């Protein structure tokens, strides 16, 4: 009989029972289901999931179970992962730079929509069946995101016009797409992009049935839950204002905002130095904490003893090192941890479902790969 892994009550219960000596991600499927429902109920269009944020099979299969069956994929490896979770899933291949072998794989995987941002890349897509959609990706110099995606991909509006005309002339179904940048906390970025999309479509003289407004939806970073519904409303209002009755169908592709809250990372305190001023954890920037290096300090961190009890003394700032022998393996801003934290305790980092295990390396024999499933992530603080 197939093995079914146990479902734990919460991270604290698992830590107290197992006292794991490697970092662990705690996954609460219920939280993922709630977030998927929130997107599907609030976003006025097709909700897809950007697989790169967290390609774990349990994430993909739970999204399918929640009713989401379209995915933004960037590579044949991600296509295989999605097909394993859902044989009839819709694939949007939105990495605009592809090798010839990757293009052949995309055709074999039956990709529905392809993005493109360069004429030379469009020419490479000649074997893509003409009943498929090709979405021209454009980029604007707008702010609002934690870091800018437009510096790597996206045609300038003038090039996008020519590309859109070429896509239509070649007989594919033309569409437009953009990505405002990850952890975008300002809905104004989407508004600006949507109005620019309307200008591109008008100047190209090419009717467009679908507009993909990308990912970039913010996750909870400072302990303040982002107002996703306000962003959905701004997107809907901007689309209505720009296009009126001819509004294209909208698509979104959240990665970070879809998965981040469904996981909490637990890293163990291996040792303390200089009277506790310096703390060594068993995970760091080469493992599941890499996103902290890029995105800044998480607002919510707890310390739990090996018996599962929360440390509640006042906090003090610490230097935090990861487990490898590389001196760069350090959290840039450190962390404030309770003064009664001890060797063998666990630091819990909520909201680390995105860009954590997906980006973890095995450098120096460390890394984050273990996932335990829990009913709830915010266990009772037990003193
Ligand atoms: C990374 C990526 C996403 C997801 O971005 P998030 O900031 O995680 O929401 C969506 N679409 C494309 C094309 C991407 O490259």
């Amino acid at each position: 009989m197939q093995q079914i892994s146990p479902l734990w009550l919460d991270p604290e219960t698992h830590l107290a029972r197992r006292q794991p000596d490697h970092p662990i991600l705690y996954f609460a499927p219920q939280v993922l289901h709630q977030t998927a429902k929130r997107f599907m109920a609030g976003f006025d269009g097709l909700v897809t999931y950007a697989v790169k944020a967290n390609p774990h099979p349990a994430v993909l299969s739970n999204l399918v179970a929640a009713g989401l069956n379209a995915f933004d994929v960037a590579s044949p490896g991600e296509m295989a992962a999605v097909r394993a979770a859902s044989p009839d899933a819709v694939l949007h291949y939105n990495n605009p730079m592809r090798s010839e072998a990757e293009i052949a794989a995309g055709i074999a995987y039956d990709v529905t929509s392809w993005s493109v941002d360069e004429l030379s890349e469009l020419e490479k897509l000649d074997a893509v069946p003409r009943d498929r959609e090709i979405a021209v990706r454009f980029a604007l110099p707008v702010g609002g995101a934690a870091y800018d995606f437009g510096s790597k991909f996206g045609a300038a509006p003038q090039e996008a016009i020519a590309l859109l005309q070429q896509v239509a002339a070649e007989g594919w179904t033309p569409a437009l797409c953009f990505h405002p940048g990850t952890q975008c906390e300002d809905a104004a970025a989407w508004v600006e992009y949507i109005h620019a999309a309307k200008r591109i479509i008008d100047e190209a003289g090419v009717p467009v049935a679908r507009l993909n407004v990308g990912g970039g939806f913010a996750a909870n970073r400072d302990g303040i839950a982002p107002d996703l519904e306000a962003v959905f409303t701004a997107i809907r209002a901007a689309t209505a204002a720009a296009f009126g009755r001819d509004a294209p169908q909208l698509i979104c592709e959240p990665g970070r905002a879809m998965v981040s809250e469904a996981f909490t990372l637990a890293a163990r305190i291996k040792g303390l130095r200089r009277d506790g001023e310096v703390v060594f954890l068993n995970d760091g920037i080469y493992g599941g904490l890499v996103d902290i290096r890029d995105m800044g300090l998480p607002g919510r961190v707890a310390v739990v003893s090996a018996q599962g009890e929360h440390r509640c003394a006042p906090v003090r700032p610490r230097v935090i090192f990861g487990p490898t022998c590389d001196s760069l393996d350090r959290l840039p801003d450190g962390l404030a941890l309770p003064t009664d934290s001890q060797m063998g305790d666990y630091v819990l980092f909520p909201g680390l479902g995105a860009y954590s295990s997906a980006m973890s390396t095995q450098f120096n024999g460390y890394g984050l790969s273990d996932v335990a499933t829990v009913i709830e992530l915010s266990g009772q603080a037990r003193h």
Side-chain angles (χ1 to χ4, degrees):
M1 217 168 83
Q2 204 186 338
Q3 189 80 28
I4 298 179
S5 353
L7 178 61
W8 295 84
L9 174 60
D10 53 25
E12 291 84 347
T13 307
H14 180 266
L15 290 170
R17 271 301 155 77
R18 290 286 165 88
Q19 303 191 350
D21 205 43
H22 52 277
I24 293 200
L25 272 177
Y26 291 101
F27 173 41
Q30 201 192 329
V31 175
L32 183 61
H33 279 253
Q34 283 162 356
T35 311
K37 281 213 188 83
R38 196 173 164 192
F39 267 95
M40 291 188 290
F43 181 78
D44 191 15
L46 176 68
V47 178
T48 72
Y49 170 62
V51 172
K52 80 171 182 288
N54 189 330
H56 196 284
V59 169
L60 302 179
S61 58
N62 274 283
L63 286 173
V64 172
L68 189 153
N69 202 31
F71 295 83
D72 163 47
V73 292
S75 60
E78 289 187 353
M79 294 172 201
V82 170
R83 283 275 176 261
S86 174
D88 66 347
V90 172
L91 301 176
H92 293 175
Y93 190 178
N94 287 336
N95 181 348
M97 177 54 74
R98 311 170 180 93
S99 72
E100 286 178 351
E102 287 172 335
I103 292 165
I107 293 169
Y109 275 110
D110 203 17
V111 163
T112 299
S113 178
W114 304 66
S115 77
V116 74
D117 67 352
E118 256 286 332
L119 193 54
S120 56
E121 296 306 314
L122 182 62
E123 284 163 1
K124 283 159 67 178
L125 297 183
D126 196 40
V128 171
R130 292 304 189 268
D131 62 351
R132 294 304 139 115
E133 176 182 87
I134 293 192
V136 173
R137 178 156 167 181
F138 70 102
L140 303 173
V142 301
Y147 57 93
D148 183 14
F149 277 29
S151 61
K152 183 161 183 183
F153 293 133
Q158 218 50 41
E159 296 159 14
I161 291 165
L163 270 171
L164 202 55
Q165 289 169 335
Q166 189 65 22
V167 167
E170 299 248 1
W172 287 295
T173 304
L176 269 184
C177 65
F178 62 83
H179 191 300
T182 200
Q183 188 67 22
C184 185
E185 284 167 356
D186 190 354
W190 279 278
V191 173
E192 203 173 317
Y193 265 103
I194 289 165
H195 284 279
K198 167 67 172 161
R199 289 192 296 272
I200 290 168
I201 290 166
D202 283 351
E203 284 195 42
V206 170
V208 156
R210 302 209 297 176
L211 173 62
N212 181 339
V213 302
F217 300 90
N220 183 336
R221 200 157 49 139
D222 309 312
I224 303 156
D227 190 349
L228 286 176
E229 283 71 19
V231 177
F232 299 153
T233 301
I235 289 172
R236 187 183 306 124
T239 307
F243 291 91
R245 292 170 148 268
D246 304 325
Q249 191 204 359
L250 297 178
I251 303 168
C252 68
E253 42 191 28
R256 178 185 299 282
M258 186 67 87
V259 272
S260 62
E261 284 300 302
F263 289 81
T264 290
L265 189 152
R268 195 168 206 185
I269 297 179
K270 299 180 71 178
L272 301 110
R273 284 192 186 165
R274 278 198 265 146
D275 197 26
E277 192 191 325
V278 178
V279 175
F280 283 75
L281 299 180
N282 66 357
D283 198 20
I285 62 157
Y286 294 104
L289 300 180
V290 56
D291 199 50
I292 291 180
R293 181 197 62 190
D294 299 332
M295 306 297 297
L297 257 191
R300 307 159 287 164
V301 166
V303 176
V304 171
S305 75
Q307 287 70 46
E309 285 152 4
H310 280 244
R311 301 290 186 196
C312 294
V315 296
R316 61 175 276 206
R318 322 269 188 157
V319 172
I320 306 283
F321 283 116
T324 71
C325 298
D326 184 331
S327 55
L328 291 179
D329 191 2
R330 170 183 179 160
L331 297 189
D333 304 316
L335 276 180
L337 301 180
T339 51
D340 53 350
S341 304
Q342 289 174 22
M343 183 177 80
D345 286 359
Y346 297 93
V347 182
L348 296 182
F349 299 87
L352 272 193
Y355 308 112
S356 52
S357 53
M359 292 170 79
S360 175
T361 73
Q362 297 292 308
F363 181 39
N364 242 189
Y366 292 101
L368 172 70
S369 55
D370 205 10
V371 176
T373 309
V374 293
I375 294 174
E376 57 185 22
L377 288 169
S378 47
Q380 298 284 318
R382 274 165 269 151
H383 304 285

